[in-house]
Amino acid sequence: GCTVKYSGYLGNWNKLFCSNGNGKYPRLMKLGKDITLWGLEIGLLSMTKGEAAWFVLAPEYAYGQRGCPPSIPPNTTILFKVEVLDFIDSEECDTFFELTCEQQDRLPLEKVLKVVATEREFGNYFFHKQCFKIAKDRYKRALSILGRSSSSKAEQSQINASKLLLFLNLSLTYLKLERADQALKYGELALEMDQGNAKALFRCGQACLYMREYSKSQDFLARAQCIQPFNRDINNELKKLA
């Protein structure tokens, strides 16, 4: 998936026929599905995140002999100005979720963890775009494939590390969704794995404050402050509580 700013021009490069440059957050698009113009797809695959480029597309790489009436005449060379804002490779995830549960369970843990990391990356992308419900769904989808039994302590440790990150992500996302009960639930799940996790204690403290459970909030936030005494966010939350 990629987020791209683009503008398409005809003729002597001053006739704009398509653009998405006005939107604050262009939507995440999939190569081959949302972006089907052959020349543009080839061009984008050659780019890196943050790069901007101009592509001149001959008709055979664009709209061909027929064009696309009424806006694109037959046999038209077009110019595209593009900027890649973000890029997440979803191919492995797509392949993974097409497998049966039995096939998923047989995959090496390394591959599963890579899919989890990519799903979490998608969640982070949508979180930063303030699409909190979609972010929550991506984090939960990642969590759903971490229920496999491990064959060693080392494997279980890797699984737990992935789960911990997702619990923290979900706790924060539920706070943004104003679902403090769920934020507390995932914060406490994180604490079950790492009782000294300042971030988890802070999230639980925030959730309890939102629910007006002031003594529980004080307990969580004071424990977080003991671990990180100079953390501005924790100290500000304690002031708010007071």
Side-chain angles (χ1 to χ4, degrees):
C2 59
T3 325
V4 181
K5 265 190 181 179
Y6 63 82
S7 300
Y9 299 88
L10 298 176
N12 56 358
W13 316 138
N14 61 8
K15 188 179 177 185
L16 183 72
F17 73 89
C18 71
S19 175
N20 73 340
N22 298 327
K24 189 179 178 185
Y25 298 126
R27 70 188 180 92
L28 196 67
M29 296 186 291
K30 217 167 184 180
L31 291 168
K33 186 180 175 185
D34 303 305
I35 301 169
T36 53
L37 209 62
W38 189 27
L40 191 55
E41 195 172 341
I42 293 168
L44 285 168
L45 285 168
S46 73
M47 296 177 72
T48 57
K49 182 177 171 179
E51 188 178 352
W54 291 87
F55 293 111
V56 178
L57 307 185
E60 59 267 32
Y61 289 94
Y63 295 96
Q65 291 182 357
R66 293 185 179 182
C68 188
S71 51
I72 317 279
N75 285 315
T76 303
T77 296
I78 60 174
L79 174 77
F80 261 99
K81 179 186 179 183
V82 293
E83 182 184 355
V84 177
L85 305 177
D86 219 328
F87 176 78
I88 307 170
D89 188 353
S90 63
E91 190 177 351
E92 271 195 273
C93 286
D94 295 341
T95 306
F96 178 86
F97 286 108
E98 284 167 8
L99 301 174
T100 65
C101 292
E102 291 79 12
Q103 288 171 323
Q104 289 178 3
D105 286 340
R106 284 200 296 269
L107 282 178
L109 179 63
E110 184 187 349
K111 280 205 167 189
V112 176
L113 291 177
K114 195 173 177 187
V115 171
V116 168
T118 303
E119 281 297 307
R120 185 169 166 266
E121 200 179 338
F122 271 110
N124 292 345
Y125 169 84
F126 287 112
F127 183 92
H128 291 306
K129 297 289 179 279
Q130 301 189 332
C131 302
F132 300 121
K133 283 185 180 176
I134 303 173
K136 178 255 297 176
D137 290 342
R138 297 309 286 245
Y139 294 141
K140 282 196 165 182
R141 188 156 98 136
L143 201 54
S144 73
I145 60 174
L146 282 174
R148 63 192 281 160
S149 54
S150 58
S151 58
S152 67
K153 277 188 176 179
E155 276 202 354
Q156 192 57 53
S157 176
Q158 285 180 287
I159 291 169
N160 287 349
S162 281
K163 278 186 176 179
L164 179 61
L165 291 173
L166 289 164
F167 289 153
L168 291 169
N169 285 140
L170 280 162
S171 185
L172 178 57
T173 306
Y174 273 116
L175 282 171
K176 295 290 186 183
L177 289 167
E178 299 185 346
R179 293 282 309 282
D181 57 331
Q182 291 295 101
L184 179 60
K185 171 191 157 182
Y186 282 104
E188 287 180 326
L189 283 169
L191 287 173
E192 282 175 24
M193 294 194 156
D194 179 8
Q195 60 182 6
N197 190 293
K199 201 173 274 187
L201 289 164
F202 177 56
R203 300 275 176 257
C204 290
Q206 284 180 296
C208 289
L209 179 55
Y210 186 90
M211 293 188 289
R212 301 184 180 186
E213 293 183 17
Y214 300 127
S215 59
K216 277 181 78 175
S217 179
Q218 173 72 38
D219 178 53
F220 282 123
L221 292 172
R223 283 161 65 194
Q225 191 185 45
C226 281
I227 298 161
Q228 292 187 2
F230 303 109
N231 185 301
R232 187 181 296 173
D233 291 333
I234 295 168
N235 293 332
N236 284 343
E237 205 71 9
L238 277 162
K239 284 177 192 171
K240 199 192 294 183
L241 174 63

